[in-house]
Each structure stands twice: as structure tokens, then as C-alpha cells.
Amino acid sequence: MIGTKLKQRYEIHTHLGDGSTATVYQAFDNKLGREVALKVLLPHVRRSTARRFFQEAKAAALLNHPNIMSIYDIDEDDGWHFLVVEYVEGNDLTHYIPSPADVVVKIGIQITSALQYAHDHDIIHRDIKPANIKVTPTGQVKIMDLGLARPSSAKRVTTPGIVMGTPAYISPEQAQGHTLDSRTDMYSLGVVLYEMITGELPFHADDITALLIQHVQEQPTPPSQVIDDIPTHLEATILKLLRKKPDNRYTSMDAVAQALQTPTYT
């Protein structure tokens, strides 16, 4: 689609990446004179996938936070359905794996701020992972891709029996298809922080089913047994986020941020 102009307005000039349901392009908005990103839905996707695509727009439109990617519009042109979203410069969080403890804490606090705001607006993300988090050249975190986000009160649009999310970062309750609340994002954040500080995921398996079972049943190796010199409070925070039962995690993302902060990092 390079060179295509959608709605006689969005001139596509760069291919940014592909997902299972959409292709993302960088484009120039000729009307407002700014760079944007277009998330173009692939043809022949399942009806439930298309519905989730539109749900993303509605969920993201509710949110206005400096650490959350902004959504500008949803439109259609000659059968192509697309989202118009904020173009964010920078690298995704995979470029920060591994990182020193102070970097993990600074990035973690920004993520908690964004997620607390989303949770306050009754939105759970459900797919927190490094590929969905960008860091700008100035160090600002931007949570991307609300493709699985939905109001906690919304009806499901997925087929029964299908587990949504990314297996390496999925919470035990999500892996089991249970009803979710904001604490599922806490667990996924715990996986992300664990990977950032150790350079490794807490659970590994070639088989997806085996990986899901590990999330549900096995305890992670403490980060201090993987690397040296991890601050005690950071390890304790990560391990509490990774507790199997949601009731044993934190009460809010604000509480997570407070646990991450010490005088060392202020």
C-alpha cells in the first residue's frame, strides 16, 4: 500500500510492521500536516477479530494519558478498515532487555501510571508485553496496541474456548479463561519487569500448552538466582506481581509504583 492515499488524506509512505490481524504503516495526514500511524485490518479476518478491531478504537478513545498511544480516528476506504493513531518514534521495550535496575524502575513506574489511568477508566489491557510498549528518544513510555483492551464490563467478542493474549506474558487466570480484572495486567507487568532485569522470561516452553501450565502451576525462579546485585525491593515487587492468585498481588498500580520507588531512585 506504499504510495496509497486513503480517504484522499492519509498518504502511506512507510511499512512499520505486520501482525496477525493488521498491517501498520506510517503515513502523512495531509489535512492536519502531521505524521500518523495507520493500522489497516487485513482482509478475510474472522468476524470476531473485526469486532475486536473496532473495540480497540472505542477502548482507546476513552483514554488520554501521556504514557498511552492516542487514537485519532477509525475509517474505511474501498473496503479497507483502518485506525489512525499517534505515530510514536523510538524503540519498543525489547531494546531494553536486559537493563540496569534504575532503568527498570523508571520505565516500570511510567507503565504503572498508564495502567492505573486505564484501570480507573474501567479498561484492562490484557496484552502487556515488550512489543506493545515503546520508549521515545526522550525516555517517555508509550503503551501501544489496545487490540485486546476492553471495558471490564464489556461482553466477550471472542470465540468460547479461545485464550486471548500472548502466552509468554499471560496471567494464570487469563490462561484458564477466567473472568479478568485489572490484576491480570499486574501479572503481565511482572513478567515484563522480570525479563527486563534478568534478560530471561520467568517461564520457558516450546509447547504453548506447557507454557500455560507453567504460568498456572509453577513458581518463577527468583531474579536474584539469575543475576547478581538486584535490589531487594525490586525483586520483592516482581515476585508479588507474579503471584498465582490475583488476591495475593497488589491492590492497584499505584501501589505497585509505590513499591518500585525507593530513595535510591528519586
Side-chain angles (χ1 to χ4, degrees):
M1 298 186 74
I2 303 298
T4 302
K5 185 181 288 187
L6 296 179
K7 303 300 290 186
Q8 296 298 308
R9 173 176 178 177
Y10 303 109
E11 188 170 350
I12 297 174
H13 58 77
T14 306
H15 173 243
L16 297 178
D18 297 293
S20 59
T21 61
T23 297
V24 182
Y25 298 96
Q26 184 178 349
F28 186 75
D29 180 350
N30 286 288
K31 187 174 183 178
L32 294 179
R34 64 182 176 184
E35 294 292 324
V36 296
L38 301 184
K39 188 172 182 180
V40 183
L41 188 67
L42 297 174
H44 313 305
V45 297
R46 298 170 58 137
R47 179 176 297 181
S48 61
T49 302
R51 290 179 63 190
R52 194 167 67 248
F53 184 78
F54 297 119
Q55 181 175 275
E56 172 182 355
K58 293 179 181 179
L62 298 174
L63 305 179
N64 181 18
H65 188 276
N67 297 121
I68 297 176
M69 177 191 71
S70 297
I71 183 165
Y72 300 140
D73 199 4
I74 185 168
D75 214 330
E76 181 268 338
D77 189 348
D78 195 27
W80 294 102
H81 295 272
F82 60 95
L83 296 181
V84 184
V85 301
E86 176 185 6
Y87 173 68
V88 180
E89 293 186 6
N91 295 316
D92 66 41
L93 206 58
T94 57
H95 287 75
Y96 293 81
I97 297 172
S99 284
D102 61 332
V103 174
V104 175
V105 168
K106 289 176 182 177
I107 288 176
I109 289 173
Q110 291 189 67
I111 296 172
T112 61
S113 176
L115 290 176
Q116 182 65 61
Y117 177 86
H119 296 165
D120 286 344
H121 288 75
D122 199 32
I123 299 292
I124 53 179
H125 191 286
R126 301 199 300 162
D127 198 25
I128 293 297
K129 59 184 178 182
N132 282 344
I133 301 168
K134 266 196 171 183
V135 182
T136 72
T138 62
Q140 183 181 16
V141 166
K142 288 279 188 177
I143 293 183
M144 317 283 288
D145 197 353
L146 293 168
L148 295 186
R150 65 184 178 91
S152 58
S153 58
K155 294 181 179 179
R156 291 185 178 274
V157 296
T158 56
T159 303
I162 293 180
V163 175
M164 303 306 298
T166 303
Y169 303 90
I170 203 168
S171 70
E173 60 269 29
Q174 194 169 2
Q176 296 174 91
H178 293 170
T179 300
L180 303 180
D181 60 27
S182 61
R183 294 171 295 183
T184 189
D185 288 341
M186 290 184 186
Y187 184 92
S188 298
L189 174 60
V191 178
V192 169
L193 297 181
Y194 186 106
E195 188 178 18
M196 285 188 69
I197 194 65
T198 67
E200 301 178 4
L201 287 164
F203 302 109
H204 307 81
D206 294 330
D207 179 74
I208 291 178
T209 301
L211 182 57
L212 297 181
I213 291 173
Q214 289 178 358
H215 281 296
V216 173
Q217 297 182 355
E218 295 187 12
Q219 296 300 321
T221 301
S224 59
Q225 295 182 25
V226 181
I227 63 165
D228 297 324
D229 300 325
I230 178 174
T232 303
H233 80 284
L234 178 56
E235 178 175 60
T237 302
I238 292 171
L239 292 177
K240 187 169 181 178
L241 288 168
L242 290 175
R243 289 180 180 175
K244 303 301 183 185
K245 295 182 178 180
D247 286 346
N248 293 334
R249 299 173 203 150
Y250 291 92
T251 56
S252 68
M253 284 294 177
D254 281 343
V256 179
Q258 185 173 1
L260 286 171
Q261 294 181 76
T262 70
T264 303
Y265 300 112
T266 58

